[in-house]
Amino acid sequence: MTGHDFLHGMYADPYFPDHVVDKGRAILLRLCGRIEAERPSDLAALYALTEAATEEFNLLEADFEAAGSEIETVAREEIAGDFRFVASAYGFTDADTEKLVAARDW
């Protein structure tokens, strides 16, 4: 998973500062690490892990704002898409994207 181009669209857009997007990429990589370590057996267990990662993204909103940016439509879609990618990559192809990021406040 470290080879996946997480948050590619955000890196490509100068509105999103790379140093903050890097923090988002780190959140997604930590999520992958937790999935590999904990091996969730069902969607409920996966959603518990993605909830924690989503809450980390909630906290990251302040960093975006401090850098003159925000988690807006493009970012929301990019982040949710990568959550979906992670779920599928680990065999949870039936995961609901909205449930993966249900804890979001962005």
Side-chain angles (χ1 to χ4, degrees), residues 48-88:
L49 296 178
T50 62
E51 178 179 355
T54 301
E55 289 173 355
E56 287 187 68
F57 269 102
N58 290 345
L59 297 174
L60 196 56
E61 177 68 20
D63 290 355
F64 277 105
E65 289 176 2
S69 185
E70 66 179 312
I71 299 178
E72 44 73 74
T73 304
V74 170
R76 284 192 295 271
E77 293 300 317
E78 190 78 16
I79 295 165
D82 276 339
F83 270 81
R84 177 82 183 124
F85 171 81
V86 168
S88 293

Side-chain angles (χ1 to χ4, degrees), residues 82-106:
D82 276 339
F83 270 81
R84 177 82 183 124
F85 171 81
V86 168
S88 293
Y90 287 101
F92 293 96
T93 56
D94 55 343
D96 181 286
T97 304
E98 289 303 312
K99 289 182 181 178
L100 290 170
V101 294
R104 71 180 173 185
D105 60 12
W106 27 272

